[in-house]
């Protein structure tokens, strides 16, 4: 196992670069996961909107409108003075002021009613309050034109507004973006960086003339040398894969292990690792100098990560970009991760889609290794 030991010594020698990539990825993951775990519930609640109603008409219609706004929003009573109303709006003691003028009901029946509203500029809350007022008045007008008296129209509109629907979630689409799902989305970057840098630089050292001559002069067959290099390659890739899984377990292990899709996540990431090793093997075949490896690694890892939905979600990519990305293995990894992050329990068609993604990644792996072996054999013939 001389070749294998030499392989591992060279890996140990270049461990600093691997630690740098790992540290960067893990640090970013920690920061993002901290933000994910922060409670950022910004959901809108209508009752939280502060509304002031100044009713100068005191008619059944104006009282019905005031009552409806009181049931929908939080009423803030204020004195009917312009400076008081302006100060309250400026200091955010109220967010929406509606002034109902005198003879509003009479003007409403003739179609010439006018309401005075004041709200915070460019406020979505104010727009929502405007829509609520318009909807109430439109419903009252429709019922009044249909033959209801104005008082009856107000009562019927109030009853209709009080009706609520019971909503329950029956879809299995969870769309929960947990900490472990975030790590799996961005895992291709760290796996590609590690696999495209460490194994090629080790294989490049084995191709140097002095080391190659020593190995050839040793009583080791070419087959044994190849098997030992393959063992080192596989063990290194397995180590990178296990390292990332350990990080997943450390960050969100309980939720990950309880996920019904844990086996699919594992299989998908393993396929990713195999593809990354195949890419690394192809790089090592063409590589001549180690000073170019860093640039090659960055171009391949960053390029595929941007095109295949790692850094930019697939839903935001254009159709032409997605069509091109389908010719890259990372697209099928991210396509599987996107599906797994959306559903808790996969259907038969979704399971078939996942296995299709696994198969395409493995086909990419076989194709890349075949190309690398063909090129390597051709280069050996030329050297001889």
């Amino acid at each position: 196992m001389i070749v294998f030991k030499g392989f591992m010594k060279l890996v140990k020698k270049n461990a600093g670069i691997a630690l740098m990539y790992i540290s960067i990825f893990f640090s970013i993951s920690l920061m993002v996961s901290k933000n994910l775990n922060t409670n950022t519930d910004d959901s809108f609640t209508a009752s939280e909107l502060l509304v002031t109603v100044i009713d100068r008409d005191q008619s059944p219609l104006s009282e019905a409108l005031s009552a409806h706004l009181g049931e929908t929003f939080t009423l803030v009573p204020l004195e009917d003075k312009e400076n008081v109303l302006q100060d309250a709006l400026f200091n955010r003691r109220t967010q929406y002021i509606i002034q109902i003028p005198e003879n509003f009901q009479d003007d409403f029946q003739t179609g010439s009613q006018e309401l005075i509203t004041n709200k915070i500029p460019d406020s979505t809350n104010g727009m929502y309050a405007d829509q609520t007022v318009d909807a109430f008045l439109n419903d009252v007008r429709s019922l009044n034109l249909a033959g209801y008296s104005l008082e009856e129209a107000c009562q019927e509109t109030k009853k209709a507004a009080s009706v609520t629907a019971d909503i329950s979630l029956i879809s299995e689409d969870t769309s929960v973006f947990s900490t472990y799902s975030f790590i799996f989305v961005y895992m291709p970057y760290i796996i590609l960086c590690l696999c495209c840098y460490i194994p090629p630089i080790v294989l490049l050292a084995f191709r140097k003339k002095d080391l190659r001559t020593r190995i050839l002069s040793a009583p080791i067959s070419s087959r044994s040398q190849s098997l030992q290099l393959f063992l080192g390659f596989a063990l290194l890739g397995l180590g990178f894969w296990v390292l990332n899984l350990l990080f997943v377990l450390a960050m969100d292990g309980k939720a990950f292990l309880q996920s019904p899709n844990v086996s699919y996540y594992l299989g998908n990431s393993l396929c990713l690792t195999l593809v990354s090793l195949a890419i690394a093997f192809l790089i090592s075949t063409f590589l001549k100098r180690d000073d170019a490896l860093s640039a090659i690694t960055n171009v391949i890892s960053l390029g595929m990560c941007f095109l295949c939905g790692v850094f930019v979600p697939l839903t935001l990519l254009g159709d032409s970009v997605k069509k091109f990305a389908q010719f890259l293995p990372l697209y099928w990894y991210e396509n599987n991760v996107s599906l797994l992050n959306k559903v808790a329990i996969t259907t038969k068609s979704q399971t078939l889609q996942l296995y299709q993604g696994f198969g395409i990644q493995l086909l990419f792996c076989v194709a890349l290794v075949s190309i690398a072996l063909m090129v390597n054999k051709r280069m050996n013939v030329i050297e001889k």
Side-chain angles (χ1 to χ4, degrees):
M1 301 293 285
I2 296 176
V3 177
F4 177 76
K5 291 180 180 178
F7 185 96
M8 299 312 295
K9 284 183 179 179
L10 290 172
V11 170
K12 185 178 180 180
K13 182 179 178 181
N14 294 277
I17 301 296
L19 290 175
M20 180 190 71
Y21 281 114
I22 293 171
S23 300
I24 293 173
F25 177 72
F26 287 178
S27 299
I28 295 174
S29 299
L30 286 171
M31 289 187 292
V32 175
S33 64
K34 184 178 180 181
N35 292 332
L36 287 175
N37 293 329
T38 303
N39 184 14
T40 57
D41 186 11
D42 296 328
S43 57
F44 173 76
T45 304
S47 61
E48 294 179 353
L49 179 60
L50 305 178
V51 174
T52 297
V53 179
I54 305 298
D55 186 3
R56 302 191 183 103
D57 189 32
Q58 299 297 324
S59 63
L61 177 60
S62 65
E63 291 177 355
L65 177 59
S66 300
H68 176 65
L69 293 176
E71 293 175 355
T72 307
F73 307 113
T74 300
L75 289 184
V76 179
L78 291 174
E79 189 177 357
D80 186 8
K81 292 183 179 180
E82 184 176 357
N83 61 330
V84 174
L85 298 176
Q86 290 178 348
D87 289 343
L89 189 63
F90 179 80
N91 295 318
R92 301 297 190 266
R93 287 189 286 113
T94 186
Q95 297 169 297
Y96 185 86
I97 299 174
I98 178 171
Q99 301 179 43
I100 305 176
E102 296 180 357
N103 302 319
F104 172 73
Q105 179 171 298
D106 297 335
D107 295 338
F108 177 81
Q109 291 179 317
T110 60
S112 60
Q113 86 283 352
E114 182 178 354
L115 291 171
I116 302 173
T117 60
N118 301 95
K119 55 192 173 185
I120 300 173
D122 300 324
S123 169
T124 55
N125 289 337
M127 296 175 61
Y128 180 70
D130 283 337
Q131 293 176 357
T132 302
V133 172
D134 292 340
F136 180 84
L137 294 178
N138 289 336
D139 290 344
V140 171
R141 180 178 288 107
S142 298
L143 291 173
N144 188 25
L145 294 174
Y148 289 85
S149 66
L150 198 60
E151 290 78 5
E152 292 174 341
C154 291
Q155 292 177 359
E156 293 298 325
T157 302
K158 185 177 179 181
K159 289 179 182 179
S162 63
V163 176
T164 58
D166 294 329
I167 300 175
S168 59
L169 183 65
I170 61 175
S171 174
E172 294 177 349
D173 185 356
T174 56
S175 298
V176 176
F177 202 68
S178 57
T179 301
Y180 70 82
S181 61
F182 160 79
I183 298 174
F184 277 102
V185 167
Y186 289 91
M187 190 179 290
Y189 175 69
I190 183 63
I191 291 288
L192 267 177
C193 287
L194 293 174
C195 289
C196 291
Y197 191 90
I198 303 300
I201 203 170
V202 173
L203 291 182
L204 181 63
F206 274 92
R207 288 168 55 188
K208 290 182 178 179
K209 187 175 180 180
D210 293 341
L211 184 57
R212 190 175 180 184
T213 303
R214 289 183 182 181
I215 294 175
L216 290 174
S217 62
I220 306 173
S221 64
S222 298
R223 183 178 180 182
S224 177
Q225 295 175 24
S226 300
L227 288 175
Q228 290 183 49
L229 287 175
F230 175 78
L231 178 61
F233 223 76
L235 187 62
L236 190 59
L238 181 63
F240 292 152
W241 180 61
V242 171
L243 184 63
N244 279 273
L245 293 182
L246 290 176
F247 182 67
V248 172
L249 294 176
M251 294 295 298
D252 200 14
K254 185 177 180 181
F256 174 63
L257 294 176
Q258 291 177 349
S259 171
N261 296 325
V262 60
S263 59
Y264 294 128
Y265 278 112
L266 294 176
N268 200 39
S269 59
L270 183 59
C271 290
L272 167 69
T273 305
L274 294 175
V275 171
S276 301
L277 290 175
I279 295 173
F281 184 45
L282 183 61
I283 292 174
S284 64
T285 304
F286 291 97
L287 191 64
K288 299 295 183 182
R289 299 179 305 169
D290 56 0
D291 55 353
L293 184 57
S294 179
I296 294 173
T297 300
N298 288 329
V299 168
I300 292 176
S301 59
L302 291 176
M304 282 206 289
C305 286
F306 275 110
L307 291 173
C308 299
V310 178
F311 296 145
V312 180
L314 290 173
T315 54
L316 299 181
L317 296 177
D319 293 335
S320 58
V321 176
K322 284 192 283 190
K323 287 181 180 179
F324 175 78
Q326 290 179 8
F327 294 94
L328 301 173
L330 255 64
Y331 171 85
W332 301 100
Y333 170 86
E334 286 296 330
N335 194 44
N336 280 355
V337 171
S338 178
L339 174 61
L340 293 172
N341 289 345
K342 290 179 180 178
V343 297
I345 300 176
T346 57
T347 62
K348 186 176 181 179
S349 61
Q350 291 169 340
T351 303
L352 184 62
Q353 180 181 341
L354 290 172
Y355 282 115
Q356 180 184 9
F358 297 158
I360 293 176
Q361 290 182 74
L362 294 177
L363 287 176
F364 269 108
C365 180
V366 173
L368 292 169
V369 171
S370 300
I371 295 172
L373 290 173
M374 182 179 65
V375 172
N376 191 41
K377 184 178 180 179
R378 180 65 178 170
M379 293 178 66
N380 289 335
V381 171
I382 293 175
E383 290 178 1
K384 290 180 180 180

